[in-house]
């Protein structure tokens, strides 16, 4: 309430007039800068400015339907503007002093204006509307008018003509307004008068004058829907006048500020008045209808001051029973109503005349708004029935409570505590006395305080239907107390609390300005529904809320009570009820789940959730491993498996732990688990897996767990740790092994000095096969609720119920790859490993190393370059960050790179492009900034460096250069180019999987070309010496093997065919010719091949026997350029995939010149995520 | 009042200096300046001359010029510029002791200390400033050099509260922006572009700033145009050359020519020193790996 939304500061000097558009998100303003500005309050910007006035602009007003604005100005004109085409469409002259105000008529084509020339003028603008509406059949005059826009007609008038001039004020007139429905005008002037005018079609005259302001009256208006006039003036007052009697009804005076302007809200009963120091928003009357509820009947007083009743069961409003027109003053509605069922009487209070009450008996049946006949009255602010024949009247001025009988005679007088402001019913024979800081329970009989509760600003008291509890409402708080005034709970609302009523079950429903909410006795609360207008709750029954709106009309609102009924059932542990609710309503919402979780009922919340993630969380929380396992399988995320593993471990459910570890590929933990459970068989398998992974630490660990000395020695030998191998063998008494080791390292025993050794440690032997089944598992407690669900609700929703099949864990009935393989057959070791998904393992490994990098570089003030290295597992990004060391480590791990020399230009190239130098403060070195490829990213964990020569530039530049080198027979250059491509791609980054595939394709292309070109280059080197003829022929044949572009392959084939033919190797030549013809190409080449083929076919024999079997499939060893036939041992380059004979293992790849052939490697990587 | 504020007569000369328009600084007629502003104007002129490579002349001019701390510290800066670093640092440290409240001592002394790598001392000295934007800018730069973008940003935001529209703060904010990235790149670009493309404020320094911002935004053709413009204005500007090298390499082109140009014009440029160091690092790191079988 009353929050400043925004300021619009573009006017130069004061802003005097402003108006909101009725439908569009616009408002218009005019000020002392002569400008009219139209603004959008959505974009909070000035849309445009209308210039034209030559002096201060006083008022601006939108037309109710046309796109027009009328403005009045000190330049004595009134102007009409079209805000759609932003033009001035009419200037109305006639006033001969400042025009202070101009308004459109709400329906007709009229404008009324007020001026300091003491006149009010009414203008007819129907001509203007005609001219600006769509062209219909135009009269001659219209056409004339149209052809002379904005020009005066023959009488010197424009489109607007003065209809009436109202003279009567004898000073300047400040404000004027039309009545919304009647032909009335009200004006306010410096003669301190507010004048009412009436007009007909032909004339207008003064009706009456409202006298009272003792300074200039500055503004006035008609009440939007009541017969009232409101005016404000420089005498610092707001005055309300009766439209019909022209008498003052009410007035309000401010101490220091003069009022200048007043406005009415179009719908809500609110007014705003602007004064010297701000704006006050006020309403003229209380809107809360006086009402009382008895059993199934509501008694209330409507706007016409008629007493009516409403039957909740029949949903029926009675006709008026009484008219209270005479109660208090006509403009003041009654404040409270108290009902006495025994006597069928009501007590009504009104604040008029500083508080009066009336005791009236209701007629037996409602027969229209009759004036009450039998009534008793008196002075008092509050009056309530306290017993069948007694009521209490509180008079605040004299601080006295009178207890009266039904004949209105005082039977008892009570002196309430000082400062009492109100009294309420306090239970039989008691009163609740409200003071600003406390509530007092007062016993009328004993005349003493029974209880007192300190609480500020209580305004209303609402008793529960059973009379056990009461809700004390203040502006922003609700406190629930027992009938003995003991506090039960309290809650705070930021929005004003309007009313409250109790549900039969003891739930308090209360309304704020825009919501109906509930609160339980324990203070749990929530929203029931939103309200589009303020209502006063009187009763709630099942799904219906009964209320009175501000027009004092009974209304029924439908609500969904499920949420609070469910919560109530939960609080009362009424599981049947809960079950009932769950069965019958769709109670699945975040709020209820988080509520259950917060309140410590995760096992119940579990029943409501479909979302696997939430189900998992809840299952973990209540220790329901079965559900957790199901969900983890469904989601299959490492984080979840990790949590599941932890929870299962805590419960001792080691089968689940095993599954979680398998999913996580936590080899070490798994090994240890097997050791702990004594599962030797699986432990042995872990050892094999470790061996397969090449993870020596894990292998060592496993062999320790297993007590497998031989494997440990073997492993030490493999990693060249001969001293350790020897010691292990020695300490375990394996003499033969010792000797073998000594022999291998060329030492004798007497050359060694060995420390004394104790007996070797042995792992304990498992006695009980614990691993076969779980340890006694923590019993998952099934609440009544769960049992109920399991027994009765099975099939209600299969996902929610606990699937009995999942009670047996997946390990016993393997469903997923890892578990299945694991329990499966031992003999197939390779496949076993495949079950472990070796490729991914390596990635895991790489990631781990990446983590190490991170932990090595912490501390504040690390440069962006260091972040790059942290953010990426790619060598290229580490290079850009200047971390060559880690980049090399990564390359070594990923592709087995060992010879980094050829990569140096690439490293430096990337590094050099990574930083810019920004000249900054004079005399200091430039500021270094880091160039990113993630230009839009500012999250320091995601930024990555620019990598020059991206995939696209390689594909479109270097690769084509390589091809053209091939075409131009410039093979040495070609090899260089393709090697450069390999190096550039090796240290690079791509953003999508698709690009990565493309990069891999380019790598293999480059590899094929390098091999092919190297073969041909070798052939050319040898060609001069005839003794090499056999090798030359072989090489020319091998040249045709690599997978080159078809055109290039033809070149190789033609050269091989010609060479073979020349040397009478007709069989070979024949096969080459055949392949040429199969590939197709230029006709001349094909013709030639066909001819040769014909010749060769006559005697298909080779003169020189070469090692080239045209029918066998083979690859070419990239180092020796000899065939590798299928089935023979092959080693490959981890990067290019080039093949080598086994003897080349451990040497540097000749193709890329960087990697070690046959080195263990996790794989080439360009994608960072 | 801040003598460099919009009303002060020093505004133009001050802005020219910080936009890198050193010759414009020298052209300003300082003789009409009020007595109060004569010294700051002279300091700016002297500093502009040092930046233009006339450090020796400045030293000669200041020889025997009494005990004014402002002039002493400027002389120290000139000495530092021609390579008498030890002496210059001593003077700066002494002045930081004796007259730490002198704005010129703060800024110029801070510059010398930071240039010598004594960031802590420089920050301590500069931290004593009383609403001196130049000091703020220096602090920002020092924080950035220490990779404390967070502190730099804080400094800028604090200064913006009392010096919203100041040129220096805008520039300093752009420095920070180039570290932060994302949308800030574009904002930094706007600042530099406005300076660079307005004839009255255009100088190689701001054009380079513009080019750097373009490069960070990944707009390579625009970067090239801006760098060319900068090199036309000042063919030997080391930063222009260095950034050209970065640009060429980033766009996959050959930069040998510019590298050798940089080697001849400013062999001490951080780019070259850095490259040299990394060259050695590479060799050292690469030596750790060998194939199992040679």
């Amino acid at each position: 309430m009353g929050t400043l939304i925004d300021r619009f500061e573009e006017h130069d000097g004061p802003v005097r007039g402003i108006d909101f558009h009725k439908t569009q998100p616009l408002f218009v303003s005019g000020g002392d800068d002569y400008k009219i500005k139209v603004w959008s309050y959505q974009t909070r910007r000035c849309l445009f400015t209308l210039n034209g006035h030559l002096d201060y602009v006083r008022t601006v007003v939108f037309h109710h339907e046309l796109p027009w604005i009328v403005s009045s100005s000190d330049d004595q004109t009134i102007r009409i503007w079209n805000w759609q085409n932003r033009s001035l469409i009419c200037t109305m002259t006639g006033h001969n002093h400042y025009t202070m105000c101009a308004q459109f008529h709400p329906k007709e084509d009229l404008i009324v204006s007020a001026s300091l020339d003491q006149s009010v003028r009414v203008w007819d603008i129907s001509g203007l509307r005609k001219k600006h509406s769509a062209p219909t059949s135009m009269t001659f005059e219209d056409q004339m008018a149209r052809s002379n826009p904005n020009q005066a007609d023959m009488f010197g008038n424009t489109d607007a003509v003065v209809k009436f001039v109202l003279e009567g004020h004898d000073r300047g007139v400040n404000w004027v307004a039309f009545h919304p429905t009647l032909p009335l005008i009200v004006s306010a002037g410096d003669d301190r008068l507010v004048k009412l005018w009436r007009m007909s079609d032909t004339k207008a005259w003064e009706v009456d004058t409202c006298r009272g302001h003792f300074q200039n009256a500055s503004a006035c208006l008609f009440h939007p829907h009541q017969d009232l006039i409101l005016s404000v003036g420089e005498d610092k007052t707001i005055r309300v006048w009766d439209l019909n009697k022209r008498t003052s009804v009410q007035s309000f005076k401010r101490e220091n500020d003069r009022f200048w302007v007043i406005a009415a809200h179009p719908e809500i009963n609110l007014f705003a008045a602007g004064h010297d120091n701000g704006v006050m928003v006020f309403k003229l009357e209380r809107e809360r209808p006086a009402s009382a509820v008895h059993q199934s009947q509501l008694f209330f007083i409507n706007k016409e001051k008629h007493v009516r009743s409403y039957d909740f069961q029949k949903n029926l409003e009675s006709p008026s029973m009484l008219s209270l027109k005479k109660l208090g003053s006509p403009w003041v509605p009654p404040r409270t109503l108290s009902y006495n069922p025994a006597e069928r009487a009501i007590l009504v209070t009104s604040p008029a005349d500083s508080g009066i009450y009336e005791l009236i008996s209701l007629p037996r049946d409602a027969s229209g708004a009759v004036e009450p006949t039998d009534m008793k009255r008196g002075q008092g602010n509050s009056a309530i029935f306290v017993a069948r024949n007694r009521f209490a009247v509180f008079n605040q001025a004299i601080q006295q409570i009178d207890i009266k009988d039904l004949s209105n005679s005082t039977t008892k007088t009570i002196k309430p505590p000082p400062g009492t402001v109100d009294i309420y019913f306090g239970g039989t024979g008691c009163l609740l006395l409200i003071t600003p800081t406390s509530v007092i329970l007062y016993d009328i009989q004993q005349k003493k305080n029974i209880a007192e509760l300190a609480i500020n600003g209580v305004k209303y008291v609402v008793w529960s239907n059973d009379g056990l509890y009461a809700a004390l409402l203040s502006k922003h708080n609700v406190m629930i107390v027992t009938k003995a005034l003991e506090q039960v709970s309290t809650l705070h609302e930021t929005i004003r609390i309007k009313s409250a009523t109790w549900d039969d079950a003891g739930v308090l429903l209360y309304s704020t300005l825009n919501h109906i909410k509930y609160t339980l006795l324990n203070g749990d609360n929530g929203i029931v529904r939103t309200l589009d207008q303020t209502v006063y709750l009187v009763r709630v029954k099942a799904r219906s809320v009964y209320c009175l709106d501000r027009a004092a009309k009974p209304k029924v609102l439908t609500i969904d009570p499920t949420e609070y009924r469910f919560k109530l059932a939960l609080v009362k542990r009424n599981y049947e009820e809960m079950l009932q609710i769950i069965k019958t309503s769709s109670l699945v919402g975040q709020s209820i789940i988080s509520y259950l979780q917060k309140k410590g009922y995760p096992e119940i919340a579990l029943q409501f959730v479909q979302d696997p993630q939430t189900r998992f969380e809840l299952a973990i929380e209540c220790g329901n491993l079965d559900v957790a396992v199901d969900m983890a399988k469904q989601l299959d995320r490492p984080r979840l498996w990790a949590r599941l593993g932890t929870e299962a471990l805590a419960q001792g459910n080691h089968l689940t732990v095993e599954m979680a570890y398998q999913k996580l590929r936590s080899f070490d933990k798994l090994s240890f688990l097997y050791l702990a459970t004594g599962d030797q068989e699986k432990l042995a398998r872990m050892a094999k897996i470790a061996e397969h992974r090449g993870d020596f630490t894990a292998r060592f660990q496993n062999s320790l767990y297993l007590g497998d000395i031989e494997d440990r020695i073997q492993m030490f030998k493999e990693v060249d740790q001969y001293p350790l191998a020897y010691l292990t063998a020695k300490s375990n008494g394996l003499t033969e092994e010792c000797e073998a080791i000594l022999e291998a390292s060329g030492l004798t025993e007497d050359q060694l000095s060995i420390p004394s050794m104790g007996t070797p440690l042995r792992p304990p032997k498992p006695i009980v096969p614990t691993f076969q089944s779980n340890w006694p598992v923590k019993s998952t407690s099934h609440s009544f609720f769960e049992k109920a669900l399991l027994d009765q609700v099975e099939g209600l929703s299969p996902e929610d119920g606990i699937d009995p099949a999942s009670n047996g864990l997946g390990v016993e009935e393997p469903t997923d790859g890892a578990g299945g393989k694991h329990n499966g057959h031992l003999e197939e070791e390779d496949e076993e490993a495949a079950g472990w998904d070796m490729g991914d393992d390596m990635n895991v490994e790489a990631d781990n190393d990446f983590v190490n990098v991170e932990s090595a570089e912490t501390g504040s003030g690390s440069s962006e370059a260091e972040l790059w290295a942290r953010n990426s597992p790619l060598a290229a990004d580490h290079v850009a960050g200047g971390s060559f060391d880690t980049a090399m480590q990564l390359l070594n791990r990923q592709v087995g790179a060992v010879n980094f020399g050829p990569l140096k230009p690439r490293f430096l190239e990337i590094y050099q492009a990574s930083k810019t130098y920004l000249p900054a403060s004079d005399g200091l070195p430039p500021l270094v900034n880091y160039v990113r490829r993630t230009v839009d990213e500012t999250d320091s964990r995601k930024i990555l460096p620019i990598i020059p020569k991206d995939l696209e530039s390689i594909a479109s530049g270097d690769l084509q250069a390589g091809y053209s080198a091939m075409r131009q027979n410039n093979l040495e250059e070609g090899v260089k180019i393709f090697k450069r491509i390999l190096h550039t791609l090796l240290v690079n980054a791509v953003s999508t999987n698709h690009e990565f595939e493309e990069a891999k394709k380019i790598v293999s292309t480059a590899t094929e070309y390098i091999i092919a070109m190297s073969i041909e280059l070798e052939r050319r080197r040898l060609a001069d010496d005839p003794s090499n003829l056999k090798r030359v022929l072989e090489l020319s044949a091998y040249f045709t093997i690599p997978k080159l572009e078809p055109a290039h392959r033809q070149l190789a084939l033609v050269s091989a065919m010609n060479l073979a033919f020349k040397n009478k190797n007709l069989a070979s030549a024949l096969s080459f010719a055949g392949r040429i013809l199969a590939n197709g190409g230029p006709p001349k080449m094909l013709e030639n091949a066909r001819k040769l083929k014909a010749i060769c076919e006559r005697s298909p024999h080779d003169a020189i026997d070469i090692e080239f079997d045209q029918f066998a499939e083979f690859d070419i060893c990239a180092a020796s350029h000899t065939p590798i036939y299928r089935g023979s041992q092959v080693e490959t380059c981890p990067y290019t995939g080039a093949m080598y004979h086994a003897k080349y293992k451990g040497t540097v790849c000749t193709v890329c010149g960087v990697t070690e052939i046959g080195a263990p490697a996790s794989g080439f990587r360009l994608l960072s995520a | 009042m801040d003598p460099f504020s919009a009303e002060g007569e020093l505004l133009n000369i001050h802005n020219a200096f910080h936009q890198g328009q050193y010759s414009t600084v020298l052209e300003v007629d300082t003789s009409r300046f009020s007595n109060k502003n004569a010294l700051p104007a002279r300091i700016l002129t002297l500093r502009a001359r040092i930046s233009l490579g006339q450090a020796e002349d400045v030293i000669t001019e200041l020889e025997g010029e009494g005990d004014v701390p402002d002039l002493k510290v400027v002389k120290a800066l000139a000495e530092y510029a021609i390579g008498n670093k030890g002496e210059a640092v001593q003077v700066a440290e002494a002045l930081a002791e004796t007259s730490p409240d002198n704005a010129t001592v703060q800024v110029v002394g801070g510059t010398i200390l930071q240039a010598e790598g004594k960031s802590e001392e420089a920050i301590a000295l500069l931290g004593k400033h009383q609403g001196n934007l130049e000091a703020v800018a220096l602090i920002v730069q020092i924080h950035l050099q220490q990779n404390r973008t967070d502190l730099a940003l804080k400094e800028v935001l604090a200064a913006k509260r009392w010096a919203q529209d100041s040129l220096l703060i805008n520039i300093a904010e752009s420095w920070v922006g180039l570290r932060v990235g994302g949308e800030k790149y574009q904002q930094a670009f706007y600042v530099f572009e406005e300076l660079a493309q307005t004839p009255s404020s255009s100088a190689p320094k701001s054009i380079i700033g513009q080019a750097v911002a373009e490069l960070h935004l990944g707009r390579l053709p625009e970067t090239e145009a801006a760098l060319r413009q900068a090199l036309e204005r000042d063919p030997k500007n080391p930063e222009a050359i260095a950034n050209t090298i970065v640009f060429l390499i980033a766009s996959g082109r050959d930069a040998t020519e510019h590298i050798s140009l940089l080697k001849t014009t400013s062999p001490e440029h951080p780019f070259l020193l850095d490259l040299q160091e990394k060259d050695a690092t590479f060799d050292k790191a690469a030596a750790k790996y060998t194939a199992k079988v040679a």
Side-chain angles (χ1 to χ4, degrees), chain A residues 863 882 885 889 898 900 904 909 911-912 915-917 920-922 924-926 928-930 932 938 948 1146, chain B residues 22 51 111 141 147 179-181 185 205 212 215-216 239 243 246 249 274 278-279 282-283 288-289 292-293:
Chain A
S863 79
D885 250 330
Q889 273 173 28
V898 287
F900 286 97
K904 187 169 178 181
E909 176 178 76
Y911 182 68
Q912 285 174 56
K915 288 182 291 185
T916 58
Y917 297 88
S921 292
D922 203 63
L924 286 182
V928 173
N929 287 308
Y930 301 88
R932 302 171 187 167
T938 52
Chain B
Y22 303 121
S51 295
T111 308
Q141 177 167 8
N147 292 315
R179 278 289 171 85
V180 175
Y185 280 150
K205 191 170 163 182
V212 166
L215 185 58
H216 281 278
E239 265 68 64
N243 284 313
V246 173
I249 293 178
D274 195 26
K278 283 296 168 190
D279 197 280
F282 183 93
D283 292 340
K288 290 185 202 157
Y289 299 88
K292 263 196 202 128
V293 185

Side-chain angles (χ1 to χ4, degrees), chain B residues 254-291:
Chain B
D254 182 46
T256 331
E257 189 188 327
H258 285 90
I259 292 179
S260 52
L261 180 64
L262 188 62
K263 275 181 187 156
T264 51
T265 51
S266 47
E268 295 288 295
H269 194 276
F271 177 85
L272 295 174
L273 298 180
D274 195 26
L275 186 58
Q276 230 168 344
E277 187 201 321
K278 283 296 168 190
D279 197 280
T281 313
F282 183 93
D283 292 340
K284 210 172 121 198
K288 290 185 202 157
Y289 299 88
T290 46

Side-chain angles (χ1 to χ4, degrees), chain A residues 907-1159:
Chain A
F907 268 50
L908 292 180
E909 176 178 76
I910 292 175
Y911 182 68
Q912 285 174 56
S914 66
K915 288 182 291 185
T916 58
Y917 297 88
L918 178 70
S921 292
D922 203 63
L924 286 182
L927 266 176
V928 173
N929 287 308
Y930 301 88
V931 195
R932 302 171 187 167
R933 68 171 180 271
T934 48
V935 172
D936 299 326
E937 193 59 68
T938 52
D939 183 347
S940 65
R941 284 161 302 174
K942 289 181 185 158
I943 48 175
L944 291 169
I946 190 169
I947 304 294
K949 292 202 182 153
D950 56 1
L951 185 66
E952 195 197 322
S953 81
I954 294 169
S956 62
D958 294 349
L959 193 60
Q960 303 311 321
Y963 287 157
S964 95
M966 175 76 188
R967 254 197 324 277
Q968 290 159 7
N969 201 8
N970 195 351
L971 299 186
E972 265 138 12
E973 183 61 28
V975 169
K976 265 190 221 153
I977 292 173
F978 281 114
K979 285 201 174 182
R980 200 169 64 221
I981 291 176
L982 286 182
H983 299 152
T984 311
L985 275 177
L986 180 56
V987 192
N988 215 324
V990 298
S991 50
T992 63
N993 246 324
H994 177 75
E995 283 182 355
F996 182 49
E997 290 307 316
E998 201 182 327
K1000 282 203 281 197
K1001 223 182 280 169
I1002 295 178
V1003 168
S1004 66
T1005 308
T1007 307
E1008 297 288 342
Y1009 272 87
I1010 291 170
I1011 296 172
M1013 286 171 162
S1014 309
I1015 293 170
E1016 178 65 5
L1017 283 170
E1018 187 185 345
R1019 185 189 70 76
R1020 290 183 193 177
R1021 247 194 332 275
L1022 300 175
D1024 297 338
D1025 188 346
S1027 67
N1028 290 332
L1029 185 58
K1030 172 168 178 281
R1031 175 73 176 151
V1032 166
L1033 281 169
E1034 281 169 3
L1035 286 171
S1036 81
Y1038 301 155
F1039 186 31
T1040 68
I1041 299 297
K1043 298 169 194 69
L1044 308 183
E1045 293 285 297
H1048 301 158
R1049 173 102 55 117
Q1050 292 293 66
L1051 291 177
L1053 285 167
V1054 168
S1055 118
M1057 176 182 76
N1058 289 341
L1059 194 67
F1061 185 73
K1062 226 186 286 169
N1063 292 297
K1064 303 284 182 280
N1065 263 12
L1066 297 183
S1068 305
L1070 179 62
S1071 84
F1072 294 137
R1075 283 168 67 191
I1076 291 171
L1077 289 172
N1079 287 340
K1084 197 176 158 207
M1085 185 175 78
L1086 295 183
E1087 180 59 27
N1088 206 9
R1090 217 169 278 129
K1091 246 190 269 170
L1092 269 170
K1093 191 183 173 201
I1095 298 170
C1096 297
E1097 271 169 347
R1098 281 178 227 144
S1099 60
H1101 294 292
D1102 279 355
I1104 301 160
D1105 196 17
I1106 61 169
E1107 198 187 327
F1108 175 69
D1109 183 347
Q1110 49 176 301
F1111 302 110
E1113 284 218 7
F1114 61 87
D1115 297 297
I1116 303 291
C1117 167
S1120 62
H1121 298 153
T1122 52
I1124 308 171
Y1125 291 102
R1126 287 288 142 98
S1128 57
Q1129 269 235 289
V1130 178
E1131 292 292 343
T1132 57
C1133 163
Y1135 172 41
T1136 61
M1139 311 231 198
Y1140 294 90
H1141 287 298
K1143 64 177 173 182
Y1144 291 103
K1145 180 175 181 179
T1147 61
V1148 172
C1149 169
T1150 57
V1151 175
C1152 61
V1154 175
T1155 59
E1156 182 183 303
I1157 297 163

